[in-house]
Amino acid sequence: MEWNPETLQFLSQCFLRTLSPQPEPRRAAESSLSEAADRPNYGLAVLRLVAEPSVDEQIRQAAAVNFKNHLRTRWVPSNDLNAGPTFSPILDPEKDQIKTLIVSLMLSSSPRIQSQLSEALAVIGKHDFPKSWPTLLPELISNLQKAAQSSDYASINGILGTANSIFKKFRYQYKTNDLLLDLKYCLDNFAAPLLDIFLKTASLIDSTASSPGGGSPATLQPLFESQRLCCRIFYSLNFQELPEFFEDHMKEWMGEFRKYLTTNYPSLESSGDGLALVDQLRAAVCENISLYMEKNEEEFQGYLNDFASAVWSLLTNVSQSSSRDKLAVTAMKFLTTVSTSVHHTLFASEGVVPQICQSIVIPNVRLRDEDEELFEMNYIEFIRRDMEGSDLDTRRRIACELLKGIATNYKKQVTDIVSLQIQNLLSSFGTNPSANWKDKDCAIYLVVSLATKKAGGTLVSTDLVDVQSFFLSVIVPELQSQDVNGFPMLKAGALKFFTTFRGLIQKPVAFQLFPDLVRFLGAESNVVHSYAASCIEKLLLVKDEGGKARYTSADITPCVPVLMNNLFNSLKFPESEENQYIMKCILRVLAVADISSEIAGPCIAGLTSILNEVCKNPRNPIFNHYLFESVAILIRRACERDASLISAFEGSLFPSLQTILANDVTEFLPYAFQLLAQLVELNKPPISPSYMQIFVLLLSPDSWRRSSNVPALVRLLQAFLQKAPNEVNQEGRLNQVLGIFNMLVSSASSDEQGFYVLNTVIENLEYGVISPYMGNIWNVLFMRLQNNRTVKFQKSLVIFMSLFLIKHGATNLVDTMNAVQDNIFLVILEQFWIPNLKLITGAIELKLTAVASTRLICESPVLLDPAAARLWGKMLDSIVTLLSRPEQDRVEEEPEMPDIAENVGYTATFVKLYNAGKREEDPLTDVKDPKQFLVASLAKLSAHTPGRYPQIINENLEPANQAALLQLCGIYNCQIV
């Protein structure tokens, strides 16, 4: 794309139309830009448009956003075949020109365009800096020094913002030699200029703040933003380890840091966004000193007392406004880090812990208006923070973490103080429950948040209260309240307490409250009915000593009709239509209760009705997964118990599954195939025509194009091969099945799936049916063995050959292989079967391969030939290794790395249904013990030619295996003569 007036006109018009409120011109413009983006120099042309002062600012801003996104997809295009559309990459000459122009253009742009170009520059820097862009840092430093001379803070902050973006990688990438070399380069060049600008700005802030009136907010704002950016860069450059330059200049940095924590700037803090800006700088300082406390404690200890006292006094003065949350949280995190370090003695002085508790912890644990608003307006986010523990960045949780930190070394003191606080809060509630309900909420929150989990278990405990008596006196009255909608936050807290301490609440007490939990499913508050569902679900998971479930089907089956009715009804509340906590509870109840036909009917009707709704617009993957698991477990537990239900289930489910297939609902296809496999397996032959239509669809190559569908399609194909073997051999279907096997086995990412198909064919079809195809099957396998030999493939091949031998005999195995190439069987045996046999894992696979290998050396004329004595001995050596040594001694970690590009999309989108899983079937039910089978077979064989086999064993088995074989002969009273 050449840069000329026509290009300028075309791009300007397109970007103008992308801003149109009308969908038609907007879509047309987006389409034109998408086409143009494939042409060389498109990115450069858009960048030149951004630089064109004659073009309207809005158009240039839209162009800057497009430029940034263009770079994201094309600077280094993805190799992942499943990552969506692939884009033609930006070529090197265009990249070089973009890199030449972008810094100066960014610095001369307006703030909004500057922020877009800064992000674009960071995209390039992520891939090219510093090795492929050595001019970037010198250019940034040169511009920073020029801007500093003229105090041009628009440019200074643009440069610092860019540096902050490109240095962020030092925070999250693993420490490697390459990363440390990049870090050294950045430190050598940027550490000194960073300190210079930091100190210059600090001086400007001091002089401005000390002038009459404390300086204008307009003057101070860019200076504070500059210091914030300097602090973030400081964090990045110090994250991996303490650099020498920063250690040498620690005094300058720490002096300024402390000043920002202890000084007020009234003129700025009282203006619009001024307080937020000052707080952001203070929060960045707290993160820096926390970093030094964690990683450079020894060097930092001289400054610690001053900072601890500064942060402490700052916290006692930070208001409860949500706008100040970030500062409060980072400040408390710093004190938490100190409390668990060797410097915890700072908290030892008399009165310190009570003061922290009263001035910092309790005020931050109390409910605020913002919490109530979140509870009512966004229940999912409230639960995410409150119940799921992703609230480490909330004041409530971090205040409790601070208490836990102090309790590490001052447990009794903290326990006594907090226990007293809890009593006071409950007394306050008792004097006026409706006015002081937040005091009770605060007390419950403290007990729950300060509970400790026993290592390796789910049981939690607390020293703050006696759980049984607290539960009976404080929690039970809330749970037995007849008004499920009164004081919903208090009800939610009580349900959360019950859930947290479920293992400590005795069964008779808990079980008496079960009807109340079922009642709370009807609460209007989304949080309350979600917590009730979660509490029921977690109770059903409680296990007593010995791993026995505390609550059984006998306990809950009587109330299941009401329970399921309430669960389905709670999904009708506004915004709870896809409530994952309720669906998970449905799943758990169906897994535990006895599923009679009276329960199964309404449940499958309710689940398919929900399924039909979510098919229209799948939004919540967790809810959808629990939904499909619920259907799968209902099919498994109801239909296996009562086969007459199968046709009713098919009648309910088929329309939904057909909708998924017909409308190509991508997210649900793997689920649909797994459910269909379940239904096929429950059927008795002959298979009905409706299933045979699906079989035809299954054999179409189009169905297999999406790798995310493959495991589920294989599962369904296996079900058909098992239940309809006669139909497989009609209308050329077996050819199509083997075509699918061929396609799957040729790729390292799906070869295991290919073997699942092949093994099922071998297991379910007569030898006369498959023998005409065996030459082609061996050709495909040998070709793959020649071209891409992975450990996984070789193990799968050994399992396949073993299964073939067990089903169709050693003679057919040897003959079909040798028909492809003379004597290839012995080559495969020596090079692949013998060395890989000892790597087999899995109980059924181990038994199958051991028995097959035993039969091979005891029955196959090829191996009984005296000329094959060495191979016979080596094969026995491998069998003994497999049977006598533990898995960890014979199987090394596989060295090969899967092909990430091939696998990423597949693993990300295929989700296995646990309850629709294929049952492992043992093809050797008549053999109970493969070790006994081995020595009995050897004893019988050796009896025909006494004296021959002990010599072969002596010459070919490792001494350890000879000893193991002798031991096995003794155990099973068999003799090799």
Side-chain angles (χ1 to χ4, degrees):
M1 182 177 269
E2 282 185 41
W3 180 247
N4 53 36
E6 289 76 23
T7 302
L8 174 65
Q9 178 70 17
F10 164 73
L11 290 174
S12 299
Q13 285 300 315
C14 283
F15 286 119
L16 179 62
R17 289 191 191 120
T18 61
L19 303 171
S20 168
Q22 301 300 319
E24 283 310 312
R26 191 171 67 244
R27 284 191 198 123
E30 285 165 357
S31 174
S32 298
L33 288 169
S34 181
E35 279 176 39
D38 284 328
R39 289 158 63 187
N41 294 324
Y42 168 81
L44 192 57
V46 174
L47 188 60
R48 287 196 161 132
L49 171 66
V50 174
E52 192 58 55
S54 60
V55 176
D56 180 76
E57 170 89 6
Q58 264 193 313
I59 293 173
R60 288 161 60 210
Q61 194 180 333
V65 172
N66 177 274
F67 174 74
K68 173 188 74 180
N69 293 333
H70 180 74
L71 263 52
R72 277 188 179 145
T73 52
R74 294 169 194 258
W75 196 267
V76 178
S78 169
N79 293 320
D80 179 5
L81 301 176
N82 297 298
T86 51
F87 299 105
S88 51
I90 299 171
L91 301 176
D92 287 346
E94 183 182 356
K95 284 183 175 181
D96 291 340
Q97 286 184 273
I98 287 172
K99 287 195 280 199
T100 305
L101 292 172
I102 192 165
V103 175
S104 56
L105 176 55
M106 179 198 73
L107 295 177
S108 61
S109 299
S110 62
R112 283 182 175 176
I113 292 175
Q114 187 179 74
S115 72
Q116 296 299 330
L117 292 182
S118 177
E119 284 182 49
L121 196 152
V123 170
I124 305 171
K126 183 181 174 188
H127 300 292
D128 288 20
F129 177 79
K131 290 183 182 66
S132 302
W133 199 356
T135 58
L136 174 61
L137 204 53
E139 190 177 356
L140 288 175
I141 292 164
S142 162
N143 281 297
L144 180 64
Q145 286 162 342
K146 275 187 218 155
Q149 283 169 1
S150 56
S151 295
D152 172 8
Y153 273 85
S155 293
I156 289 169
N157 290 348
I159 295 161
L160 292 175
T162 301
N164 181 36
S165 296
I166 61 175
F167 294 158
K168 271 182 187 171
K169 71 174 184 177
F170 299 123
R171 298 184 205 171
Y172 58 79
Q173 287 187 11
Y174 286 117
K175 189 187 282 191
T176 61
N177 285 339
D178 282 350
L179 187 77
L180 292 177
L181 283 171
D182 288 354
L183 176 57
K184 183 179 184 311
Y185 168 77
C186 296
L187 286 165
D188 289 348
N189 289 281
F190 204 80
L194 178 69
L195 179 59
D196 290 345
I197 193 68
F198 184 68
L199 294 175
K200 175 187 165 68
T201 310
S203 169
L204 282 171
I205 288 174
D206 290 349
S207 58
T208 307
S210 59
S211 64
S216 77
T219 308
L220 286 169
Q221 274 181 347
L223 302 178
F224 272 79
E225 173 60 10
S226 181
Q227 296 302 69
R228 184 191 73 80
L229 288 166
C230 286
C231 283
R232 300 313 290 144
I233 294 168
F234 176 98
Y235 188 82
S236 297
L237 295 179
N238 282 270
F239 190 87
Q240 294 290 340
E241 52 193 36
L242 177 60
E244 191 180 336
F245 179 88
F246 285 94
E247 187 175 358
D248 292 344
H249 294 277
M250 201 184 285
K251 190 176 177 187
E252 292 103 299
W253 283 104
M254 296 303 150
E256 294 304 321
F257 285 171
R258 186 171 176 275
K259 188 171 68 187
Y260 296 128
L261 296 180
T262 54
T263 309
N264 290 322
Y265 299 91
S267 68
L268 184 55
E269 289 177 41
S270 58
S271 72
D273 299 329
L275 179 60
L277 192 57
V278 179
D279 277 358
Q280 283 171 7
L281 173 56
R282 288 171 179 149
V285 166
C286 287
E287 288 194 73
N288 287 344
I289 58 175
S290 289
L291 180 72
Y292 267 47
M293 190 64 224
E294 284 169 27
K295 299 199 173 192
N296 312 309
E297 194 177 317
E298 193 182 327
E299 295 84 357
F300 180 66
Q301 63 182 345
Y303 303 95
L304 179 57
N305 280 7
D306 283 350
F307 275 114
S309 118
V311 169
W312 187 336
S313 76
L314 183 70
L315 270 171
T316 52
N317 293 308
V318 172
S319 71
Q320 291 297 305
S321 163
S322 61
S323 63
R324 308 200 74 185
D325 283 358
K326 170 86 173 164
L327 174 60
V329 167
T330 51
M332 280 189 270
K333 276 185 181 173
F334 170 71
L335 289 183
T336 306
T337 306
V338 176
S339 72
T340 54
S341 75
V342 294
H343 303 287
H344 60 78
T345 47
L346 289 170
F347 298 92
S349 307
E350 197 176 332
V352 170
V353 176
Q355 196 183 338
I356 285 180
C357 201
Q358 283 153 18
S359 310
I360 297 174
V361 175
I362 298 297
N364 282 299
V365 168
R366 288 185 67 83
L367 279 173
R368 297 176 299 163
D369 293 344
E370 290 87 345
D371 301 315
E372 291 184 71
E373 194 176 308
L374 190 67
F375 182 92
E376 288 170 21
M377 306 301 292
N378 188 348
Y379 84 96
I380 293 170
E381 180 58 21
F382 181 89
I383 294 174
R384 194 179 69 79
R385 291 183 187 181
D386 182 57
M387 188 84 146
E388 295 180 4
S390 59
D391 60 344
L392 267 177
D393 285 336
T394 65
R395 291 193 189 209
R396 291 191 102 187
R397 177 57 63 95
I398 202 65
C400 289
E401 290 302 311
L402 173 56
L403 265 186
K404 278 184 184 175
I406 299 169
T408 310
N409 296 291
Y410 307 98
K411 185 166 186 181
K412 185 172 187 321
Q413 205 180 341
V414 168
T415 303
D416 292 349
I417 291 162
V418 178
S419 297
L420 185 62
Q421 286 284 355
I422 288 167
Q423 287 170 29
N424 293 341
L425 288 162
L426 292 174
S427 300
S428 166
F429 168 78
T431 59
N432 188 344
S434 56
N436 298 340
W437 66 270
K438 287 184 184 178
D439 289 341
K440 183 172 184 178
D441 174 88
C442 187
I444 295 171
Y445 188 88
L446 280 167
V447 178
V448 171
S449 298
L450 294 172
T452 51
K453 189 178 276 193
K454 296 243 171 101
T458 53
L459 202 64
V460 292
S461 61
T462 181
D463 297 319
L464 291 172
V465 295
D466 175 76
V467 171
Q468 301 286 351
S469 60
F470 189 90
F471 185 71
L472 291 171
S473 61
V474 178
I475 303 301
V476 169
E478 294 301 330
L479 298 178
Q480 291 183 332
S481 158
Q482 291 309 297
D483 180 8
V484 294
N485 297 316
F487 299 103
M489 293 193 88
L490 209 43
K491 301 288 192 297
L495 288 163
K496 184 183 169 188
F497 183 97
F498 193 179
T499 307
T500 303
F501 293 103
R502 61 191 178 277
L504 298 177
I505 311 297
Q506 291 161 349
K507 182 174 176 178
V509 177
F511 198 65
Q512 199 181 345
L513 292 163
F514 207 79
D516 294 305
L517 294 177
V518 175
R519 225 168 22 90
F520 273 107
L521 293 168
E524 288 169 11
S525 161
N526 297 72
V527 175
V528 172
H529 59 241
S530 299
Y531 278 17
S534 186
C535 188
I536 293 168
E537 189 261 328
K538 295 284 191 292
L539 274 174
L540 295 182
L541 285 173
V542 174
K543 289 189 168 45
D544 287 323
E545 280 184 37
K548 192 179 172 199
R550 184 177 295 179
Y551 302 93
T552 64
S553 59
D555 293 325
I556 69 160
T557 299
C559 65
V560 165
V562 179
L563 170 56
M564 294 308 280
N565 184 55
N566 283 17
L567 282 165
F568 279 112
N569 281 339
S570 58
L571 288 168
K572 294 173 184 170
F573 282 110
E575 292 181 34
S576 251
E577 298 88 354
E578 293 182 29
N579 187 319
Q580 66 203 50
Y581 307 97
I582 291 168
M583 189 50 74
K584 192 177 187 184
C585 185
I586 289 173
L587 169 62
R588 188 72 58 215
V589 172
L590 291 174
V592 174
D594 284 332
I595 308 296
S596 64
S597 53
E598 293 75 31
I599 292 169
C603 283
I604 197 67
L607 291 170
T608 46
S609 163
I610 295 162
L611 180 54
N612 293 336
E613 278 307 305
V614 294
C615 276
K616 295 171 188 172
N617 181 18
R619 285 177 306 185
N620 182 345
I622 300 171
F623 174 85
N624 295 336
H625 182 74
Y626 291 143
L627 168 62
F628 280 101
E629 284 284 14
S630 299
V631 174
I633 202 164
L634 192 55
I635 293 171
R636 183 160 65 80
R637 300 198 69 228
C639 296
E640 285 179 11
R641 176 178 167 159
D642 182 356
S644 68
L645 287 172
I646 296 171
S647 58
F649 272 47
E650 288 172 340
S652 285
L653 274 171
F654 252 60
S656 307
L657 297 177
Q658 282 167 334
T659 300
I660 293 168
L661 299 179
N663 296 339
D664 194 29
V665 183
T666 315
E667 298 90 334
F668 289 173
L669 286 171
Y671 290 129
F673 296 136
Q674 289 174 86
L675 292 182
L676 284 165
Q678 235 190 327
L679 290 168
V680 169
E681 283 170 352
L682 285 166
N683 270 264
K684 289 188 169 58
I687 295 289
S688 73
S690 52
Y691 282 113
M692 290 313 293
Q693 286 176 340
I694 291 165
F695 194 18
V696 172
L697 175 75
L698 176 63
L699 296 177
S700 141
D702 282 351
S703 303
W704 297 81
R705 292 228 161 94
R706 275 195 207 109
S707 55
S708 55
N709 292 340
V710 165
L713 287 167
V714 166
R715 168 92 177 78
L716 179 54
L717 183 53
Q718 286 179 291
F720 276 114
L721 291 169
Q722 208 177 339
K723 288 290 179 177
N726 296 330
E727 288 86 342
V728 171
N729 196 29
Q730 294 165 9
E731 300 174 20
R733 291 190 189 113
L734 184 52
N735 244 334
Q736 291 172 283
V737 169
L738 292 174
I740 290 165
F741 147 73
N742 190 349
M743 173 193 71
L744 294 174
V745 92
S746 61
S747 162
S749 66
S750 60
D751 53 12
E752 217 167 6
Q753 301 292 334
F755 274 110
Y756 291 159
V757 173
L758 184 58
N759 292 347
T760 315
V761 167
I762 296 303
E763 216 168 340
N764 292 285
L765 300 186
E766 297 296 325
Y767 182 69
V769 174
I770 59 170
S771 60
Y773 300 94
M774 284 314 302
N776 190 41
I777 289 171
W778 290 124
N779 265 323
V780 168
L781 294 173
F782 297 159
M783 185 76 70
R784 171 65 207 277
L785 207 50
Q786 201 174 340
N787 296 335
N788 187 3
R789 186 182 305 168
T790 64
V791 176
K792 180 173 62 132
F793 178 84
Q794 291 173 89
K795 282 159 63 176
S796 297
L797 179 62
V798 170
I799 292 166
F800 164 67
M801 292 188 293
S802 301
L803 183 66
F804 187 99
L805 185 149
I806 294 298
K807 288 290 173 184
H808 304 301
T811 305
N812 285 332
L813 176 70
V814 175
D815 290 351
T816 54
M817 287 172 78
N818 284 341
V820 176
Q821 188 180 321
D822 280 349
N823 292 322
I824 197 169
F825 173 74
L826 289 177
V827 175
I828 296 290
L829 185 76
E830 182 168 13
Q831 292 184 13
F832 301 106
W833 194 322
I834 292 170
N836 285 289
L837 180 61
K838 62 177 179 285
L839 303 178
I840 300 299
T841 55
I844 289 174
E845 290 85 350
L846 186 146
K847 179 178 165 185
L848 169 70
T849 52
V851 171
S853 302
T854 301
R855 282 186 53 184
L856 194 60
I857 61 172
C858 294
E859 298 170 16
S860 171
V862 177
L863 280 170
L864 294 174
D865 187 326
R870 186 183 61 82
L871 276 181
W872 189 97
K874 292 297 173 199
M875 183 64 148
L876 178 58
D877 191 52
S878 260
I879 300 169
V880 176
T881 301
L882 179 69
L883 291 175
S884 65
R885 294 190 201 172
E887 193 176 299
Q888 64 269 25
D889 290 352
R890 57 186 174 79
V891 181
E892 291 178 20
E893 284 296 308
E894 288 193 21
E896 61 207 5
M897 185 76 178
D899 186 333
I900 297 299
E902 271 187 290
N903 261 346
V904 154
Y906 166 147
T907 50
T909 50
F910 170 71
V911 184
K912 185 176 180 178
L913 284 174
Y914 174 79
N915 290 294
K918 188 178 189 309
R919 292 226 169 99
E920 285 285 334
E921 287 178 24
D922 183 356
L924 284 164
T925 47
D926 53 324
V927 177
K928 297 290 176 257
D929 182 351
K931 294 175 183 175
Q932 185 177 14
F933 182 81
L934 171 68
V935 290
S937 301
L938 289 172
K940 188 177 169 187
L941 175 69
S942 70
H944 294 302
T945 50
R948 178 183 169 194
Y949 290 102
Q951 186 186 345
I952 298 175
I953 290 168
N954 193 39
E955 288 171 2
N956 291 287
L957 266 68
E958 289 179 16
N961 282 347
Q962 289 185 39
L965 183 58
L966 197 62
Q967 190 181 11
L968 287 173
C969 288
I971 292 168
Y972 297 106
N973 197 21
C974 293
Q975 208 173 353
I976 301 168
V977 294

